Amino acid sequence: MSEKIEAGPSELHDETKGKLEVEEAEHHEHKDEISPELEALLQTDPTKGLTTAEAAERLARFGPNELAEVKRNPLLKFLGYFTGAIAYLIEVACIISAVVEDWLDFGIILALLLVNACIGFIEESKAESALDALRQTLALKTRAWRDGHLVELDVNQLVPGDVIVLRLGDIVPADGRLLGIGATGEATEGDLLIDQSALTGESLPVAKNKGKTVYSSSIVKQGQQMAVVTKTGGDTFIGRAANLISITTEEGHFQKIINRIGNFLILITVVLVVIIMIYQLVHFHGDGTDRGKFLSVLGRVLVLTVAAIPVGLPTVMSVTMAVGAKQLAAKKVIVKRLTAVEEMASVSVLCSDKTGTLTLNELTFDEPYLTNNYSSDDILLYSYLAAEAGANDPIEFAVRTAAEEQLEILKNRTHKHEVPGFKVTSFLPFNPSTKLTQATITNLETSSTFKVAKGAPQVIIRLVGGDDDAVRAVNSLAKRGLRALGVARTVEGNMDKWELIGMISLIDPPRPDSAETIRRCNDMGVSVKMITGDQLIIAKEVAHRLGMQRVMLDAGHLVDADKSEDEITEHVIRADGFAQVIPEHKYRVVELLQKRGILVGMTGDGVNDAPALKKANVGIAVHGCTDAARSAADIVLLAPGLSTIVDGLMTSRAIFQRMRSYALYRITSTVHFLIFFFIVVLAYDWSLPARLLILICILNDLATLVIAVDNAQISARPDKWRIGQLITMSVVLAICLSALSFAHFFFFWKVYDYYPNYVEENESKEGIDLRLQSIMYLHISSAPHFVIFSTRLTGYFWENLPSPLFAVVIIGTQIVALLM
């Protein structure tokens, strides 16, 4: 809240009357470029419109006025979950197991593939198409002049050059240029009031007159005019937003990480397994047994491959994220794209729309300018008396709401349209030419009569004979982005002499929790940037109230031809926000940040936010958003406000730590397995039976599913996958484990005579010593498995103890392994 502005008594005004004028606030709006060829098609006679032949020719040239519908086949979407480095290796193993008729392995591998795909498909199956939602925001019918007649047309039949009629409540069916005349060619009074907040993010309806552009899917709030259609379908303002959404099909950050891990594991697995395969084919060739045959060697190598590759990695990751999504759903945060849960942990910049996201998207009563010893309650009461009941106007609604909430006299009334102690005897509604409303009021207690007027500041100031202090106050409010309304009344006993009461100030205020959410995000290492289509002065005022810095730039900085992309990117990184942007600008901000390797979150609620929501690593649609924003987003907030974003950050960072600890464990386990068996197979032709290797693989991966509910240590800063560090740590741990495995192997061989292979040294025994198999099976099952207690934290284990369920399941699997 700004401080209350007051002036001295009315006699002080006489010295400074009429010397200043109210400064008209300049409205900055995106201007569409019309090519000369298209301009030539727009010179339609507004009283006749296009002919049927002209309309047909232009429809064939420009296409129907609708957004191209692109739907992905559900089967192809499901099959998409079988792609990726690890998935391909698992699929190859599945095919080979079928070739060598190892049906147990085949069934296990196929089941793991299907489980992983089903988890991802089911969790994301409710995601709607952003293009579908954008199509639903368009009008279905419109009135246009064709062949000299005003007819009702399907919107998709509109073409450039069509003359359409726009009236109160209409959804604008295509981009158009206002003609400044009514439906039958008569001159119109006043401007057309257009609500384009869902398109541009402007909190206030915009007044437009002859020559101005109206955008498809915006809403007419006041007035009537004809317009000539300038652009249709994908060429419209909303169509360009739809095009940005359709071209945004980049691979997700998490999928890139999984593929990098997978590529490393595949490389080391394939190299070592191929060496083993070549060695065995050469070594056993011509020994008179089946051991040297290709299919026999392939079958043995397949078992090693299946046991080594992390077939459960995608499944464990998916289950971990699904559990996190369920936790967030309990807090009214719906996750549409499962991997967004993990990616949110790495977000370091959160770009946020202003109108409807950081603010309430509703005009409310702010601190007024007062004069002549009137109070805040006085100006509310008099403005209420001069308000038009039931008017579909956001300013009138804001005035009535504020008065009804704050004035005791208006609470607990029997009749909602009456003011106790006062009677409205006549009322002049708002007129575009006079720019005010006026009411004649009788005070029922004193039987005195007076008039109240409410309207544009310059009109009210002229009505009272001028007031430079009031002009200064209005100009001051305008420079801060506040909308001002003047209120005056006649003095007692003289119905022709007016006295200024003051100036109402209106603003779309921040949500109650926005400032605290921004502070908490900053504390967690997430920088918040405001990106809005609203005016720059309004953006700066809202930023100030939210406790943000006022380094707000206009959209011109994003498309400055004199600056390189690196310079523009530096502006983006350093700025606290951008104003007067269009959807392409929001998209560009996200894109420039991502090119610098920054993971970006984006919050929004309107059609204008949809492309940036889709482009961002994590798109978050807030409560009360449009269908377009909801469909383009990865996460949808069902509760009002932004506080649940902090819950999302906390949950995602906990999930990240769990996934990181699992990845470290699984890479370590794989590398250890390969190192140990690569050496013992080549050196001693020794291995475990296939059933034991597969059992180790299943028990370990199934058990680690419970990592999804393990306690996690939440980092204070955004998390980041450091693949090089992760692999280095894994290799070090794997070498240590391999040393332990070789110690076991040689200890029981050399000390207890548990021979690894055909016992030639001891003629009293034949075949393979099953005791060494049992010992090494128990060791390889348990030793890498318990490493997960070390990998789950970066510090000491006692800093964050594992959850009881996690500990019980991990230990329980070893008991099962022992009994089997």
Side-chain angles (χ1 to χ4, degrees):
M1 281 284 183
S2 57
E3 293 184 3
K4 189 182 295 182
I5 309 165
E6 294 186 348
S10 59
E11 55 265 22
L12 296 178
H13 299 169
D14 296 333
E15 301 174 8
T16 57
K17 279 191 173 184
K19 294 181 181 177
L20 297 177
E21 292 185 357
V22 172
E23 298 172 3
E24 291 289 340
E26 184 182 358
H27 182 267
H28 298 272
E29 186 167 359
H30 169 70
K31 290 181 175 59
D32 257 346
E33 293 184 3
I34 304 292
S35 66
E37 295 82 2
L38 181 58
E39 186 65 48
L41 300 176
L42 306 183
Q43 310 307 313
T44 310
D45 184 346
T47 61
K48 295 180 180 179
L50 297 175
T51 65
T52 301
E54 287 175 323
E57 185 272 327
R58 295 184 188 191
L59 187 64
R61 177 178 172 183
F62 294 100
N65 179 35
E66 59 189 11
L67 300 179
E69 188 174 4
V70 180
K71 286 191 174 182
R72 189 178 179 191
N73 187 304
L75 178 61
L76 293 178
K77 183 179 178 182
F78 180 72
L79 293 177
Y81 292 97
F82 293 92
T83 60
I86 294 176
Y88 292 144
L89 185 60
I90 297 172
E91 287 154 17
V92 169
C94 189
I95 293 168
I96 294 173
S97 62
V99 170
V100 299
E101 299 183 355
D102 188 348
W103 301 116
L104 175 64
D105 285 359
F106 176 81
I108 292 168
I109 298 167
L110 187 63
L112 285 169
L113 275 170
L114 291 172
V115 166
N116 180 54
C118 288
I119 289 173
F121 185 76
I122 292 168
E123 287 292 333
E124 298 179 11
S125 62
K126 294 181 181 179
E128 300 167 330
S129 165
L131 293 176
D132 279 344
L134 283 168
R135 292 174 73 248
Q136 290 168 15
T137 67
L138 302 177
L140 299 176
K141 295 279 187 181
T142 190
R143 292 173 298 281
W145 285 94
R146 289 277 179 93
D147 299 310
H149 299 284
L150 188 62
V151 297
E152 189 172 63
L153 283 179
D154 287 334
V155 164
N156 63 4
Q157 296 301 303
L158 285 178
V159 294
D162 260 324
V163 177
I164 57 175
V165 179
L166 300 174
R167 293 191 177 98
L168 173 68
D170 282 353
I171 297 175
V172 179
D175 287 2
R177 181 189 297 159
L178 293 178
L179 298 173
I181 54 177
T184 54
E186 76 281 4
T188 56
E189 288 188 359
D191 300 331
L192 204 64
L193 203 61
I194 300 288
D195 178 4
Q196 53 188 38
S197 59
L199 288 174
T200 63
E202 292 171 283
S203 53
L204 299 171
V206 180
K208 301 203 175 191
N209 48 31
K210 183 178 179 180
K212 296 293 185 181
T213 300
V214 289
Y215 296 117
S216 175
S217 84
S218 56
I219 302 168
V220 181
K221 288 294 187 179
Q222 183 178 293
Q224 172 199 286
Q225 272 195 51
M226 286 203 297
V228 60
V229 173
T230 56
K231 294 185 178 180
T232 59
D235 296 324
T236 61
F237 189 91
I238 193 174
R240 293 196 299 273
N243 182 55
L244 284 176
I245 292 172
S246 65
I247 64 174
T248 306
T249 56
E250 293 182 5
E251 183 183 41
H253 167 75
F254 179 68
Q255 192 58 48
K256 291 177 183 176
I257 296 300
I258 289 296
N259 284 344
R260 287 177 66 186
I261 294 173
N263 289 338
F264 168 74
L265 294 179
I266 287 169
L267 178 65
I268 190 173
T269 300
V270 170
V271 168
L272 297 184
V273 165
V274 166
I275 291 172
I276 292 173
M277 188 173 177
I278 293 171
Y279 169 78
Q280 291 204 338
L281 284 172
V282 173
H283 184 70
F284 295 115
H285 179 67
D287 68 349
T289 67
D290 291 340
R291 298 178 72 193
K293 290 185 177 179
F294 179 78
L295 285 181
S296 177
V297 172
L298 186 64
R300 292 197 302 273
V301 168
L302 171 69
V303 174
L304 278 177
T305 306
V306 172
I309 62 174
V311 288
L313 179 65
T315 305
V316 172
M317 296 292 197
S318 295
V319 169
T320 303
M321 290 185 287
V323 169
K326 187 176 180 181
Q327 292 170 351
L328 288 174
K331 298 176 181 178
K332 296 191 175 180
V333 178
I334 304 303
V335 178
K336 289 174 52 190
R337 181 173 63 86
L338 206 55
T339 55
V341 177
E342 178 275 335
E343 290 174 17
M344 196 172 182
S346 302
V347 166
S348 56
V349 174
L350 181 65
C351 297
S352 179
D353 174 49
K354 177 186 73 69
T355 308
T357 304
L358 293 172
T359 67
L360 294 170
N361 195 19
E362 56 185 48
L363 284 178
T364 58
F365 187 79
D366 204 60
E367 289 294 339
Y369 163 79
L370 299 169
T371 186
N372 295 321
N373 294 319
Y374 285 104
S375 68
S376 181
D377 284 354
D378 290 334
I379 198 171
L380 270 179
L381 175 61
Y382 288 120
S383 61
Y384 188 84
L385 290 170
E388 186 178 355
N392 186 24
D393 181 89
I395 294 175
E396 293 285 72
F397 179 78
V399 169
R400 292 198 306 270
T401 302
E404 289 169 355
E405 288 178 353
Q406 296 181 36
L407 296 179
E408 291 297 327
I409 193 174
L410 298 180
K411 295 177 181 177
N412 303 316
R413 290 174 293 166
T414 306
H415 300 288
K416 291 294 182 184
H417 297 298
E418 295 181 1
V419 181
F422 298 91
K423 183 175 178 62
V424 180
T425 57
S426 73
F427 187 85
L428 292 175
F430 181 84
N431 186 307
S433 59
T434 63
K435 294 188 176 180
L436 58 76
T437 60
Q438 186 174 302
T440 303
I441 312 294
T442 299
N443 187 324
L444 298 180
E445 291 183 8
T446 63
S447 298
S448 60
T449 302
F450 60 93
K451 291 180 181 178
V452 180
K454 170 173 62 65
Q458 64 271 25
V459 173
I460 298 300
I461 290 171
R462 280 199 300 269
L463 188 65
V464 301
D467 187 325
D468 284 357
D469 286 342
V471 172
R472 291 189 190 96
V474 171
N475 290 341
S476 173
L477 291 170
K479 287 174 182 176
R480 292 168 47 211
L482 276 70
R483 173 71 66 90
L485 273 184
V487 183
R489 59 156 290 172
T490 56
V491 299
E492 291 289 342
N494 189 342
M495 294 286 281
D496 295 320
K497 185 178 181 181
W498 290 86
E499 178 179 62
L500 184 65
I501 296 170
M503 297 289 164
I504 293 172
S505 63
L506 298 167
I507 192 170
D508 175 18
R511 291 182 182 271
D513 62 345
S514 292
E516 176 64 13
T517 300
I518 290 172
R519 186 193 64 76
R520 292 182 67 187
C521 285
N522 289 335
D523 290 344
M524 296 178 74
V526 179
S527 171
V528 180
K529 297 182 185 295
M530 181 195 299
I531 305 178
T532 177
D534 215 340
Q535 302 301 294
L536 183 60
I537 52 174
I538 297 175
K540 287 184 175 181
E541 175 67 17
V542 173
H544 174 65
R545 296 186 180 211
L546 289 170
M548 300 172 68
Q549 300 298 317
R550 291 200 190 190
V551 187
M552 294 284 160
L553 305 177
D554 63 50
H557 287 79
L558 296 170
V559 289
D560 192 337
D562 297 329
K563 293 178 181 174
S564 66
E565 186 171 288
D566 285 341
E567 289 176 307
I568 294 172
T569 304
E570 283 301 318
H571 280 308
V572 171
I573 292 171
R574 293 175 183 174
D576 297 298
F578 288 88
Q580 297 159 202
V581 301
I582 58 175
E584 288 93 329
H585 295 147
K586 293 190 177 189
Y587 184 95
R588 181 157 171 76
V589 168
V590 174
E591 184 179 46
L592 288 173
L593 289 170
Q594 288 176 331
K595 285 182 178 179
R596 282 291 180 93
I598 296 170
L599 260 70
V600 183
M602 176 75 201
T603 67
D605 69 326
V607 175
N608 61 321
D609 302 312
L613 288 170
K614 185 80 171 177
K615 175 67 175 171
N617 299 97
V618 182
I620 305 169
V622 300
H623 174 74
C625 62
T626 60
D627 285 344
R630 186 181 300 113
S631 295
D634 304 308
I635 294 173
V636 180
L637 308 183
L638 299 185
L642 297 175
S643 58
T644 46
I645 288 179
V646 178
D647 293 332
L649 286 171
M650 301 280 281
T651 302
S652 65
R653 291 186 185 184
I655 290 166
F656 181 94
Q657 293 299 330
R658 292 170 187 148
M659 293 172 70
R660 181 187 173 280
S661 65
Y662 172 75
L664 180 57
Y665 151 76
R666 199 61 185 88
I667 298 170
T668 299
S669 179
T670 299
V671 175
H672 157 252
F673 190 92
L674 287 169
I675 291 174
F676 177 74
F677 280 101
F678 176 75
I679 293 173
V680 296
V681 167
L682 291 182
Y684 305 107
D685 189 28
W686 183 88
S687 182
L688 287 173
R691 66 182 187 281
L692 295 181
L693 291 174
I694 297 299
L695 186 61
I696 290 170
C697 173
I698 295 172
L699 285 176
N700 286 9
D701 271 338
L702 284 179
T704 48
L705 283 173
V706 295
I707 201 169
V709 295
D710 185 27
N711 296 329
Q713 195 173 45
I714 298 170
S715 60
R717 313 297 295 175
D719 290 304
K720 186 178 181 180
W721 285 100
R722 295 175 175 83
I723 299 299
Q725 182 190 75
L726 188 70
I727 290 174
T728 301
M729 289 176 62
S730 299
V731 171
V732 170
L733 285 171
I735 291 172
C736 293
L737 278 175
S738 298
L740 182 63
S741 297
F742 282 117
H744 269 73
F745 184 81
F746 286 111
F747 179 79
F748 284 96
W749 177 12
K750 300 299 181 181
V751 176
Y752 290 99
D753 294 334
Y754 293 180
Y755 293 100
N757 215 319
Y758 291 93
V759 188
E760 299 169 355
E761 300 94 334
N762 191 338
E763 296 179 0
S764 63
K765 298 180 180 178
E766 291 183 358
I768 298 172
D769 197 330
L770 300 180
R771 294 175 300 174
L772 185 59
Q773 285 187 357
S774 300
I775 290 292
M776 293 312 298
Y777 158 70
L778 290 174
H779 164 75
I780 292 171
S781 174
S782 61
H785 208 173
F786 285 120
V787 167
I788 200 165
F789 287 106
S790 301
T791 63
R792 56 181 296 277
L793 289 177
T794 54
Y796 298 106
F797 75 89
W798 59 79
E799 291 176 3
N800 189 288
L801 295 175
S803 68
L805 177 61
F806 178 77
V808 167
V809 170
I810 295 296
I811 295 169
T813 53
Q814 297 312 306
I815 296 172
V816 171
L818 176 65
L819 296 175
M820 296 183 72

